[in-house]
Amino acid sequence: MTFRNTAILQFCLPALLAACLLGAGLAPQIPATTWESAIADTNEKVVKFLNADRLSRTVKNGEPIRMFEGNVRLSQPDKDTLYLWADRVLEFEGRDEVLLIGDVLIIQNNDSLSADSVRYFSSTKKGRAMGRVRLSDGEVQVYAPSALHDFDRKHTAFDDNVRLVDSATVLTSLDGEYFSQEKRAEFYGEVVLEEDKTYLEADSVTYFRDTEISIGLGDVFIERTGGEEGEAAADSSTRTFLFGDRVYNDNRAGYSKMEGNAMLFQFKQDSLGVPADSLVMTATTLEAIREDSLQRLIAVESVLIWRDDFAALADSAVYDRVSVELEPLNEENRLFDNPMAWFDSYQLSGDTMRATAFDGKIDSLFVLRNAFAADQDSTTMRINQLKGKTLLGLFEQDSLKSLSVGPQAESIYFSVSEGSQLRGIQTSGDRIELRFKNNDLNEIGYFSGIQGMYYDGALIPDPFQLDGFSWTPERRPQKNVMLDDESRMLRIMQRTQPFLLPVSGEQPRGLINED
């Protein structure tokens, strides 16, 4: 091989052409005379110097260093050859280490790493990148101030304010790792994941790019906006917030599973951002499913539910919300394992329950097996009671229209006689129906096999109760109690009403009332 002494021949071919020349066994042309010894030495090393404009030598702390400057190009042949570019490269002759400085670019197959500088170790094929670090595989981009990249494992550990951008997904955190072959990200510390209509915060997040599945751990917070596929356009103002200790989230399938102290808060916002038609649900585990026009919530263990016109507790519950263009909103609550529910002044219990609502207003309530209804009379302050195998409550414009129990229906009802004497009436029959007007009891109907007993004044038994009687208004879920977590409410307000955020020392305002 000959070298020209009077001029410097630089590479002007693209990187791919340079790779082809190497593969064909054609040595690149590099600057003359003083390069002969450099080429002879570096040909025996793992890292091959392909091109540079200038070469100089120096000694620092007794260690000889060669400096390559201007359009420096290197390669490391292997099963996946590395190609390295930089403005300047320092080669430490006593070790397998080179320092690449200025517009550094390293390419391996489809992966590229760029930075202001990279300290590269050829024996381990690891590089410490500093300054404006960018990792890409052609689809995902990961940015950070610094990183340690393992080219053999295709693994990168990022430090300090990491940002991953993948199509419609953006993932940020304090620290993180990315596994290129597995297309998996592990991010830690104040993690935020933003996807289409989904916003997630957690202490740590594992994100699988191929499936868009994410697993969040520690102080998890999720926000979802309305406007799901098939959802009525008028319902696009719906906001759903989920909290818990751990979440499995499949964005493509529209599925989330929140575990550990889980809470859901869902509401619609009016034009001023004020919440209306609220739903609050807490449980040990909450699953949220979105399928076309259906949104389903599955709550397991220690379930509490509150909405504007209804409250309940149960061991488990299923809530369905169906929204179709130009049709009324359809909602259904199914409660299992001896649930209790409250609407207006009534308390209901039984083995299972089903409550339906249309266009945001409760429509019917059905209790299956061991149905029991209790209500405190506002005049006598005594507890009216109604029981049977099943119970059906019908509503009209959120007002109770009728309550019907049977078979094996029984009731206890208190009234005041014309002489202002308290009267207790116990009745049984195949079916008993209570009819209401403006939410006040207007009429009682008894059907088939009727039996009854009147008690006046001091003759009323004490206690005067039906079998299975229960009156526990203190257990009724309350919205302000269920949302009594300042940190959670502040996060919601930051996403919905930042102009209402409290000053230091104040309580959150704007989302909770005492109703």
Side-chain angles (χ1 to χ4, degrees):
M1 179 182 300
T2 60
F3 299 91
R4 291 188 295 174
N5 297 326
T6 59
I8 297 176
L9 181 61
Q10 299 181 359
F11 269 72
C12 59
L13 297 176
L16 291 177
L17 180 57
C20 293
L21 290 173
L22 287 171
L26 299 177
Q29 296 184 15
I30 55 179
T33 56
T34 57
W35 277 81
E36 294 186 13
S37 59
I39 295 297
D41 289 343
T42 56
N43 277 340
E44 301 301 322
K45 295 181 179 293
V46 178
V47 172
K48 307 294 183 180
F49 283 81
L50 305 180
N51 185 81
D53 293 345
R54 294 174 299 279
L55 168 64
S56 60
R57 282 188 172 89
T58 186
V59 176
K60 187 174 182 180
N61 297 325
E63 180 180 25
I65 299 174
R66 283 187 290 211
M67 181 183 297
F68 301 82
E69 296 179 281
N71 298 314
V72 185
R73 303 182 185 183
L74 308 86
S75 74
Q76 183 172 359
D78 202 343
K79 60 180 180 179
D80 296 320
T81 301
L82 267 73
Y83 297 96
L84 305 90
W85 289 263
D87 293 338
R88 184 160 53 106
V89 174
L90 302 181
E91 181 191 23
F92 303 91
E93 298 185 37
R95 38 195 164 117
D96 63 335
E97 178 182 338
V98 293
L99 177 61
L100 297 91
I101 303 171
D103 290 331
V104 181
L105 175 63
I106 304 176
I107 294 178
Q108 183 183 45
N109 292 334
N110 295 325
D111 296 337
S112 67
L113 176 71
S114 63
D116 291 339
S117 67
V118 173
R119 188 174 293 273
Y120 180 69
F121 303 89
S122 59
S123 62
T124 60
K125 296 184 73 174
K126 293 181 179 179
R128 165 61 72 177
M130 301 293 293
R132 298 184 297 174
V133 179
R134 174 182 172 272
L135 177 73
S136 175
D137 63 0
E139 296 178 354
V140 69
Q141 317 287 329
V142 188
Y143 304 89
S146 62
L148 177 63
H149 183 72
D150 188 325
F151 291 89
D152 270 342
R153 293 177 56 210
K154 300 186 184 302
H155 165 262
T156 313
F158 297 92
D159 306 315
D160 193 21
N161 299 321
V162 191
R163 184 170 182 262
L164 180 150
V165 180
D166 177 20
S167 183
T169 300
V170 177
L171 188 62
T172 60
S173 70
L174 298 180
D175 303 288
E177 298 177 76
Y178 185 70
F179 300 81
S180 299
Q181 284 185 322
E182 302 170 30
K183 297 185 177 181
R184 171 169 57 91
E186 300 273 0
F187 278 28
Y188 320 100
E190 300 179 12
V191 186
V192 173
L193 186 151
E194 296 181 82
E195 297 176 291
D196 183 34
K197 299 173 184 174
T198 299
Y199 173 91
L200 183 150
E201 293 180 5
D203 292 340
S204 66
V205 169
T206 300
Y207 174 65
F208 300 90
R209 288 185 49 240
D210 276 348
T211 58
E212 294 184 23
I213 290 174
S214 55
I215 299 172
L217 298 176
D219 196 18
V220 181
F221 166 55
I222 293 179
E223 177 196 5
R224 285 210 178 96
T225 57
E228 306 295 342
E229 183 179 352
E231 187 175 2
D235 198 44
S236 60
S237 60
T238 299
R239 310 288 289 271
T240 301
F241 300 92
L242 285 162
F243 295 87
D245 298 330
R246 181 183 187 277
V247 69
Y248 173 93
N249 186 62
D250 186 337
N251 198 51
R252 288 183 186 173
Y255 172 81
S256 295
K257 183 177 183 179
M258 187 74 75
E259 297 178 289
N261 193 25
M263 186 188 86
L264 174 140
F265 181 27
Q266 183 180 82
F267 59 84
K268 293 175 65 175
Q269 285 182 289
D270 62 19
S271 59
L272 298 177
V274 177
D277 299 329
S278 301
L279 168 68
V280 187
M281 185 180 297
T282 63
T284 300
T285 300
L286 281 173
E287 294 182 67
I289 302 166
R290 307 189 309 279
E291 296 178 352
D292 297 326
S293 60
L294 170 67
Q295 294 184 51
R296 171 169 291 172
L297 299 173
I298 301 173
V300 178
E301 194 175 336
S302 303
V303 180
L304 298 178
I305 300 171
W306 182 96
R307 53 170 293 160
D308 296 332
D309 52 7
F310 179 79
L313 58 85
D315 183 70
S316 59
V318 176
Y319 169 76
D320 286 342
R321 184 174 184 271
V322 179
S323 180
V324 179
E325 189 76 34
L326 302 179
E327 293 186 13
L329 180 66
N330 187 342
E331 299 170 274
E332 181 178 88
N333 264 310
R334 299 188 295 280
L335 310 171
F336 306 97
D337 199 359
N338 302 314
M340 298 185 73
W342 291 263
F343 63 89
D344 293 333
S345 60
Y346 277 86
Q347 174 182 297
L348 298 158
S349 59
D351 289 358
T352 60
M353 293 185 192
R354 183 178 74 242
T356 62
F358 289 98
D359 204 19
K361 300 182 184 300
I362 190 168
D363 176 75
S364 67
L365 180 64
F366 180 72
V367 182
L368 179 63
R369 291 187 296 274
N370 298 315
F372 201 107
D375 167 56
Q376 188 171 41
D377 186 88
S378 59
T379 302
T380 66
M381 301 306 293
R382 296 295 187 100
I383 309 301
N384 296 324
Q385 303 159 47
L386 187 65
K387 67 173 291 188
K389 282 192 173 181
T390 62
L391 178 147
L392 176 63
L394 299 178
F395 298 78
E396 192 173 80
Q397 294 298 311
D398 272 346
S399 294
L400 183 60
K401 184 179 178 181
S402 66
L403 277 179
S404 178
V405 297
Q408 301 176 11
E410 298 179 62
S411 71
I412 288 180
Y413 176 70
F414 293 91
S415 65
V416 178
S417 67
E418 292 182 0
S420 299
Q421 185 175 20
L422 181 65
R423 174 178 291 174
I425 307 169
Q426 183 171 4
T427 312
S428 64
D430 186 61
R431 183 167 67 91
I432 300 175
E433 183 173 323
L434 280 62
R435 302 183 185 95
F436 298 82
K437 186 175 182 179
N438 298 325
N439 278 333
D440 293 325
L441 182 61
N442 184 56
E443 186 179 6
I444 302 178
Y446 302 92
F447 304 88
S448 183
I450 303 166
Q451 296 183 15
M453 183 72 69
Y454 288 81
Y455 299 94
D456 287 323
L459 297 178
I460 298 175
D462 186 19
F464 193 26
Q465 299 172 351
L466 297 176
D467 289 341
F469 171 80
S470 177
W471 179 248
T472 54
E474 69 279 1
R475 298 185 65 190
R476 181 172 185 159
Q478 302 291 330
K479 179 182 180 181
N480 60 322
V481 175
M482 295 172 69
L483 297 178
D484 188 22
D485 187 312
E486 184 175 348
S487 64
R488 289 184 171 185
M489 293 311 301
L490 283 173
R491 284 170 116 170
I492 292 174
M493 295 180 72
Q494 287 169 352
R495 300 292 298 172
T496 57
Q497 299 175 327
F499 58 90
L500 288 178
L501 283 175
V503 297
S504 179
E506 290 185 356
Q507 293 299 313
R509 309 185 305 275
L511 290 176
I512 304 176
N513 55 46
E514 298 302 321
D515 295 337

